[in-house]
PDB file of all heavy atoms in Angstrom:
ATOM      1  N   GLU A  72      38.703  45.010   6.831  1.00 95.00           N
ATOM      2  CA  GLU A  72      39.852  45.892   6.609  1.00 95.00           C
ATOM      3  C   GLU A  72      40.980  45.514   7.568  1.00 95.00           C
ATOM      4  O   GLU A  72      40.738  45.123   8.707  1.00 95.00           O
ATOM      5  CB  GLU A  72      39.432  47.348   6.839  1.00 95.00           C
ATOM      6  CG  GLU A  72      40.566  48.331   6.583  1.00 95.00           C
ATOM      7  CD  GLU A  72      40.091  49.780   6.680  1.00 95.00           C
ATOM      8  OE1 GLU A  72      39.066  50.044   7.334  1.00 95.00           O
ATOM      9  OE2 GLU A  72      40.771  50.645   6.107  1.00 95.00           O
ATOM     10  N   GLN A  73      42.191  45.605   7.063  1.00 96.00           N
ATOM     11  CA  GLN A  73      43.356  45.326   7.902  1.00 96.00           C
ATOM     12  C   GLN A  73      44.462  46.301   7.529  1.00 96.00           C
ATOM     13  O   GLN A  73      44.827  46.414   6.361  1.00 96.00           O
ATOM     14  CB  GLN A  73      43.827  43.879   7.674  1.00 96.00           C
ATOM     15  CG  GLN A  73      45.052  43.498   8.462  1.00 96.00           C
ATOM     16  CD  GLN A  73      44.807  43.476   9.974  1.00 96.00           C
ATOM     17  OE1 GLN A  73      43.981  42.744  10.467  1.00 96.00           O
ATOM     18  NE2 GLN A  73      45.528  44.324  10.701  1.00 96.00           N
ATOM     19  N   HIS A  74      44.964  47.018   8.517  1.00 97.00           N
ATOM     20  CA  HIS A  74      46.085  47.926   8.264  1.00 97.00           C
ATOM     21  C   HIS A  74      47.380  47.162   8.517  1.00 97.00           C
ATOM     22  O   HIS A  74      47.527  46.501   9.544  1.00 97.00           O
ATOM     23  CB  HIS A  74      46.012  49.157   9.179  1.00 97.00           C
ATOM     24  CG  HIS A  74      44.943  50.114   8.768  1.00 97.00           C
ATOM     25  ND1 HIS A  74      44.779  51.351   9.353  1.00 97.00           N
ATOM     26  CD2 HIS A  74      43.983  50.016   7.821  1.00 97.00           C
ATOM     27  CE1 HIS A  74      43.747  51.972   8.775  1.00 97.00           C
ATOM     28  NE2 HIS A  74      43.253  51.178   7.852  1.00 97.00           N
ATOM     29  N   LEU A  75      48.278  47.264   7.562  1.00 97.00           N
ATOM     30  CA  LEU A  75      49.533  46.518   7.639  1.00 97.00           C
ATOM     31  C   LEU A  75      50.708  47.426   7.329  1.00 97.00           C
ATOM     32  O   LEU A  75      50.568  48.420   6.618  1.00 97.00           O
ATOM     33  CB  LEU A  75      49.531  45.375   6.604  1.00 97.00           C
ATOM     34  CG  LEU A  75      48.414  44.330   6.691  1.00 97.00           C
ATOM     35  CD1 LEU A  75      48.380  43.508   5.418  1.00 97.00           C
ATOM     36  CD2 LEU A  75      48.603  43.420   7.897  1.00 97.00           C
ATOM     37  N   GLN A  76      51.856  47.035   7.862  1.00 96.00           N
ATOM     38  CA  GLN A  76      53.089  47.690   7.459  1.00 96.00           C
ATOM     39  C   GLN A  76      54.032  46.574   6.998  1.00 96.00           C
ATOM     40  O   GLN A  76      54.075  45.504   7.593  1.00 96.00           O
ATOM     41  CB  GLN A  76      53.699  48.446   8.647  1.00 96.00           C
ATOM     42  CG  GLN A  76      55.002  49.176   8.319  1.00 96.00           C
ATOM     43  CD  GLN A  76      54.852  50.254   7.255  1.00 96.00           C
ATOM     44  OE1 GLN A  76      54.810  49.946   6.075  1.00 96.00           O
ATOM     45  NE2 GLN A  76      54.760  51.509   7.673  1.00 96.00           N
ATOM     46  N   PHE A  77      54.702  46.808   5.899  1.00 95.00           N
ATOM     47  CA  PHE A  77      55.626  45.805   5.368  1.00 95.00           C
ATOM     48  C   PHE A  77      57.038  46.345   5.551  1.00 95.00           C
ATOM     49  O   PHE A  77      57.382  47.401   5.021  1.00 95.00           O
ATOM     50  CB  PHE A  77      55.342  45.539   3.889  1.00 95.00           C
ATOM     51  CG  PHE A  77      53.975  44.928   3.656  1.00 95.00           C
ATOM     52  CD1 PHE A  77      52.858  45.734   3.496  1.00 95.00           C
ATOM     53  CD2 PHE A  77      53.808  43.555   3.608  1.00 95.00           C
ATOM     54  CE1 PHE A  77      51.598  45.180   3.281  1.00 95.00           C
ATOM     55  CE2 PHE A  77      52.556  42.986   3.394  1.00 95.00           C
ATOM     56  CZ  PHE A  77      51.443  43.797   3.236  1.00 95.00           C
ATOM     57  N   LEU A  78      57.833  45.635   6.319  1.00 93.00           N
ATOM     58  CA  LEU A  78      59.184  46.119   6.616  1.00 93.00           C
ATOM     59  C   LEU A  78      60.223  45.246   5.931  1.00 93.00           C
ATOM     60  O   LEU A  78      60.163  44.015   6.006  1.00 93.00           O
ATOM     61  CB  LEU A  78      59.425  46.110   8.133  1.00 93.00           C
ATOM     62  CG  LEU A  78      58.503  46.987   8.983  1.00 93.00           C
ATOM     63  CD1 LEU A  78      58.832  46.812  10.464  1.00 93.00           C
ATOM     64  CD2 LEU A  78      58.617  48.463   8.588  1.00 93.00           C
ATOM     65  N   ASP A  79      61.157  45.895   5.306  1.00 90.00           N
ATOM     66  CA  ASP A  79      62.270  45.165   4.700  1.00 90.00           C
ATOM     67  C   ASP A  79      63.240  44.780   5.808  1.00 90.00           C
ATOM     68  O   ASP A  79      63.842  45.637   6.440  1.00 90.00           O
ATOM     69  CB  ASP A  79      62.990  46.043   3.662  1.00 90.00           C
ATOM     70  CG  ASP A  79      62.279  46.001   2.319  1.00 90.00           C
ATOM     71  OD1 ASP A  79      61.964  44.889   1.863  1.00 90.00           O
ATOM     72  OD2 ASP A  79      62.022  47.076   1.748  1.00 90.00           O
ATOM     73  N   ALA A  80      63.382  43.486   6.005  1.00 92.00           N
ATOM     74  CA  ALA A  80      64.319  42.991   7.011  1.00 92.00           C
ATOM     75  C   ALA A  80      65.564  42.476   6.281  1.00 92.00           C
ATOM     76  O   ALA A  80      65.551  42.338   5.055  1.00 92.00           O
ATOM     77  CB  ALA A  80      63.654  41.883   7.816  1.00 92.00           C
ATOM     78  N   PRO A  81      66.633  42.178   7.022  1.00 92.00           N
ATOM     79  CA  PRO A  81      67.848  41.666   6.365  1.00 92.00           C
ATOM     80  C   PRO A  81      67.600  40.383   5.575  1.00 92.00           C
ATOM     81  O   PRO A  81      66.630  39.674   5.836  1.00 92.00           O
ATOM     82  CB  PRO A  81      68.795  41.403   7.545  1.00 92.00           C
ATOM     83  CG  PRO A  81      68.289  42.241   8.666  1.00 92.00           C
ATOM     84  CD  PRO A  81      66.805  42.336   8.473  1.00 92.00           C
ATOM     85  N   ASN A  82      68.500  40.095   4.662  1.00 92.00           N
ATOM     86  CA  ASN A  82      68.489  38.850   3.877  1.00 92.00           C
ATOM     87  C   ASN A  82      67.256  38.680   2.995  1.00 92.00           C
ATOM     88  O   ASN A  82      66.816  37.562   2.755  1.00 92.00           O
ATOM     89  CB  ASN A  82      68.629  37.625   4.803  1.00 92.00           C
ATOM     90  CG  ASN A  82      69.840  37.750   5.701  1.00 92.00           C
ATOM     91  OD1 ASN A  82      70.883  38.253   5.286  1.00 92.00           O
ATOM     92  ND2 ASN A  82      69.694  37.338   6.951  1.00 92.00           N
ATOM     93  N   GLY A  83      66.687  39.793   2.528  1.00 91.00           N
ATOM     94  CA  GLY A  83      65.568  39.694   1.591  1.00 91.00           C
ATOM     95  C   GLY A  83      64.266  39.257   2.227  1.00 91.00           C
ATOM     96  O   GLY A  83      63.348  38.813   1.549  1.00 91.00           O
ATOM     97  N   VAL A  84      64.192  39.369   3.544  1.00 95.00           N
ATOM     98  CA  VAL A  84      62.960  38.999   4.247  1.00 95.00           C
ATOM     99  C   VAL A  84      62.067  40.237   4.379  1.00 95.00           C
ATOM    100  O   VAL A  84      62.568  41.339   4.609  1.00 95.00           O
ATOM    101  CB  VAL A  84      63.297  38.436   5.661  1.00 95.00           C
ATOM    102  CG1 VAL A  84      62.031  38.261   6.493  1.00 95.00           C
ATOM    103  CG2 VAL A  84      64.045  37.122   5.522  1.00 95.00           C
ATOM    104  N   VAL A  85      60.774  40.040   4.192  1.00 95.00           N
ATOM    105  CA  VAL A  85      59.826  41.141   4.418  1.00 95.00           C
ATOM    106  C   VAL A  85      58.960  40.750   5.611  1.00 95.00           C
ATOM    107  O   VAL A  85      58.344  39.684   5.625  1.00 95.00           O
ATOM    108  CB  VAL A  85      58.948  41.396   3.173  1.00 95.00           C
ATOM    109  CG1 VAL A  85      57.879  42.450   3.482  1.00 95.00           C
ATOM    110  CG2 VAL A  85      59.803  41.851   1.997  1.00 95.00           C
ATOM    111  N   GLU A  86      58.937  41.615   6.607  1.00 96.00           N
ATOM    112  CA  GLU A  86      58.101  41.357   7.780  1.00 96.00           C
ATOM    113  C   GLU A  86      56.762  42.052   7.601  1.00 96.00           C
ATOM    114  O   GLU A  86      56.702  43.216   7.205  1.00 96.00           O
ATOM    115  CB  GLU A  86      58.789  41.874   9.051  1.00 96.00           C
ATOM    116  CG  GLU A  86      60.079  41.137   9.365  1.00 96.00           C
ATOM    117  CD  GLU A  86      60.684  41.592  10.685  1.00 96.00           C
ATOM    118  OE1 GLU A  86      60.232  42.621  11.233  1.00 96.00           O
ATOM    119  OE2 GLU A  86      61.623  40.916  11.154  1.00 96.00           O
ATOM    120  N   VAL A  87      55.696  41.322   7.912  1.00 97.00           N
ATOM    121  CA  VAL A  87      54.351  41.887   7.814  1.00 97.00           C
ATOM    122  C   VAL A  87      53.908  42.234   9.226  1.00 97.00           C
ATOM    123  O   VAL A  87      53.788  41.369  10.095  1.00 97.00           O
ATOM    124  CB  VAL A  87      53.374  40.875   7.166  1.00 97.00           C
ATOM    125  CG1 VAL A  87      51.998  41.511   7.002  1.00 97.00           C
ATOM    126  CG2 VAL A  87      53.915  40.416   5.812  1.00 97.00           C
ATOM    127  N   ILE A  88      53.700  43.518   9.449  1.00 96.00           N
ATOM    128  CA  ILE A  88      53.339  44.019  10.780  1.00 96.00           C
ATOM    129  C   ILE A  88      51.882  44.454  10.779  1.00 96.00           C
ATOM    130  O   ILE A  88      51.440  45.186   9.896  1.00 96.00           O
ATOM    131  CB  ILE A  88      54.220  45.240  11.160  1.00 96.00           C
ATOM    132  CG1 ILE A  88      55.709  44.931  10.941  1.00 96.00           C
ATOM    133  CG2 ILE A  88      53.929  45.696  12.588  1.00 96.00           C
ATOM    134  CD1 ILE A  88      56.275  43.849  11.819  1.00 96.00           C
ATOM    135  N   GLU A  89      51.161  43.999  11.785  1.00 96.00           N
ATOM    136  CA  GLU A  89      49.766  44.396  11.917  1.00 96.00           C
ATOM    137  C   GLU A  89      49.709  45.744  12.618  1.00 96.00           C
ATOM    138  O   GLU A  89      50.413  45.958  13.608  1.00 96.00           O
ATOM    139  CB  GLU A  89      49.024  43.337  12.744  1.00 96.00           C
ATOM    140  CG  GLU A  89      47.540  43.584  12.850  1.00 96.00           C
ATOM    141  CD  GLU A  89      46.859  42.550  13.749  1.00 96.00           C
ATOM    142  OE1 GLU A  89      47.442  42.172  14.778  1.00 96.00           O
ATOM    143  OE2 GLU A  89      45.759  42.142  13.399  1.00 96.00           O
ATOM    144  N   LEU A  90      48.904  46.657  12.082  1.00 94.00           N
ATOM    145  CA  LEU A  90      48.723  47.962  12.719  1.00 94.00           C
ATOM    146  C   LEU A  90      47.320  48.017  13.319  1.00 94.00           C
ATOM    147  O   LEU A  90      46.408  47.428  12.769  1.00 94.00           O
ATOM    148  CB  LEU A  90      48.899  49.080  11.675  1.00 94.00           C
ATOM    149  CG  LEU A  90      50.269  49.163  10.996  1.00 94.00           C
ATOM    150  CD1 LEU A  90      50.266  50.246   9.934  1.00 94.00           C
ATOM    151  CD2 LEU A  90      51.379  49.418  12.001  1.00 94.00           C
ATOM    152  N   PRO A  91      47.112  48.728  14.399  1.00 91.00           N
ATOM    153  CA  PRO A  91      48.108  49.554  15.091  1.00 91.00           C
ATOM    154  C   PRO A  91      48.930  48.798  16.143  1.00 91.00           C
ATOM    155  O   PRO A  91      49.779  49.406  16.795  1.00 91.00           O
ATOM    156  CB  PRO A  91      47.226  50.618  15.752  1.00 91.00           C
ATOM    157  CG  PRO A  91      45.938  49.906  16.049  1.00 91.00           C
ATOM    158  CD  PRO A  91      45.766  48.866  14.971  1.00 91.00           C
ATOM    159  N   SER A  92      48.698  47.487  16.308  1.00 94.00           N
ATOM    160  CA  SER A  92      49.353  46.767  17.402  1.00 94.00           C
ATOM    161  C   SER A  92      50.876  46.681  17.234  1.00 94.00           C
ATOM    162  O   SER A  92      51.610  46.569  18.201  1.00 94.00           O
ATOM    163  CB  SER A  92      48.785  45.354  17.512  1.00 94.00           C
ATOM    164  OG  SER A  92      49.165  44.590  16.371  1.00 94.00           O
ATOM    165  N   GLY A  93      51.347  46.717  15.951  1.00 94.00           N
ATOM    166  CA  GLY A  93      52.781  46.601  15.722  1.00 94.00           C
ATOM    167  C   GLY A  93      53.261  45.157  15.824  1.00 94.00           C
ATOM    168  O   GLY A  93      54.462  44.876  15.829  1.00 94.00           O
ATOM    169  N   GLU A  94      52.315  44.231  15.905  1.00 96.00           N
ATOM    170  CA  GLU A  94      52.644  42.821  16.044  1.00 96.00           C
ATOM    171  C   GLU A  94      53.050  42.226  14.687  1.00 96.00           C
ATOM    172  O   GLU A  94      52.406  42.508  13.676  1.00 96.00           O
ATOM    173  CB  GLU A  94      51.386  42.098  16.565  1.00 96.00           C
ATOM    174  CG  GLU A  94      51.611  40.702  17.070  1.00 96.00           C
ATOM    175  CD  GLU A  94      50.283  40.059  17.464  1.00 96.00           C
ATOM    176  OE1 GLU A  94      49.401  40.774  18.013  1.00 96.00           O
ATOM    177  OE2 GLU A  94      50.126  38.866  17.195  1.00 96.00           O
ATOM    178  N   ARG A  95      54.107  41.438  14.687  1.00 96.00           N
ATOM    179  CA  ARG A  95      54.527  40.803  13.442  1.00 96.00           C
ATOM    180  C   ARG A  95      53.637  39.587  13.203  1.00 96.00           C
ATOM    181  O   ARG A  95      53.639  38.648  13.996  1.00 96.00           O
ATOM    182  CB  ARG A  95      55.996  40.381  13.533  1.00 96.00           C
ATOM    183  CG  ARG A  95      56.526  39.887  12.183  1.00 96.00           C
ATOM    184  CD  ARG A  95      58.019  39.655  12.249  1.00 96.00           C
ATOM    185  NE  ARG A  95      58.309  38.439  13.034  1.00 96.00           N
ATOM    186  CZ  ARG A  95      59.542  38.009  13.287  1.00 96.00           C
ATOM    187  NH1 ARG A  95      60.594  38.688  12.889  1.00 96.00           N
ATOM    188  NH2 ARG A  95      59.730  36.891  13.982  1.00 96.00           N
ATOM    189  N   ILE A  96      52.860  39.624  12.113  1.00 96.00           N
ATOM    190  CA  ILE A  96      51.917  38.531  11.868  1.00 96.00           C
ATOM    191  C   ILE A  96      52.392  37.586  10.764  1.00 96.00           C
ATOM    192  O   ILE A  96      51.843  36.509  10.600  1.00 96.00           O
ATOM    193  CB  ILE A  96      50.497  39.070  11.521  1.00 96.00           C
ATOM    194  CG1 ILE A  96      50.550  40.014  10.312  1.00 96.00           C
ATOM    195  CG2 ILE A  96      49.869  39.754  12.733  1.00 96.00           C
ATOM    196  CD1 ILE A  96      49.183  40.379   9.762  1.00 96.00           C
ATOM    197  N   ASP A  97      53.392  38.001  10.012  1.00 96.00           N
ATOM    198  CA  ASP A  97      53.860  37.129   8.947  1.00 96.00           C
ATOM    199  C   ASP A  97      55.270  37.535   8.529  1.00 96.00           C
ATOM    200  O   ASP A  97      55.678  38.676   8.737  1.00 96.00           O
ATOM    201  CB  ASP A  97      52.911  37.206   7.729  1.00 96.00           C
ATOM    202  CG  ASP A  97      53.113  36.050   6.754  1.00 96.00           C
ATOM    203  OD1 ASP A  97      53.731  35.036   7.142  1.00 96.00           O
ATOM    204  OD2 ASP A  97      52.643  36.161   5.611  1.00 96.00           O
ATOM    205  N   VAL A  98      55.973  36.574   7.961  1.00 96.00           N
ATOM    206  CA  VAL A  98      57.302  36.862   7.418  1.00 96.00           C
ATOM    207  C   VAL A  98      57.335  36.281   6.008  1.00 96.00           C
ATOM    208  O   VAL A  98      57.021  35.114   5.811  1.00 96.00           O
ATOM    209  CB  VAL A  98      58.418  36.217   8.271  1.00 96.00           C
ATOM    210  CG1 VAL A  98      59.769  36.416   7.597  1.00 96.00           C
ATOM    211  CG2 VAL A  98      58.420  36.795   9.680  1.00 96.00           C
ATOM    212  N   ILE A  99      57.656  37.131   5.045  1.00 96.00           N
ATOM    213  CA  ILE A  99      57.774  36.672   3.658  1.00 96.00           C
ATOM    214  C   ILE A  99      59.254  36.406   3.411  1.00 96.00           C
ATOM    215  O   ILE A  99      60.068  37.324   3.456  1.00 96.00           O
ATOM    216  CB  ILE A  99      57.211  37.719   2.681  1.00 96.00           C
ATOM    217  CG1 ILE A  99      55.731  37.997   2.989  1.00 96.00           C
ATOM    218  CG2 ILE A  99      57.384  37.249   1.242  1.00 96.00           C
ATOM    219  CD1 ILE A  99      55.144  39.177   2.246  1.00 96.00           C
TER     220      ILE A  99
END
Side-chain angles (χ1 to χ4, degrees):
E72 182 174 23
Q73 178 66 60
H74 286 187
L75 302 166
Q76 180 62 281
F77 296 87
L78 299 177
D79 277 312
N82 307 323
V84 171
V85 174
E86 295 184 348
V87 183
I88 310 295
E89 185 183 39
L90 299 176
S92 68
E94 193 184 323
R95 188 172 73 182
I96 56 170
D97 196 17
V98 174
I99 301 170

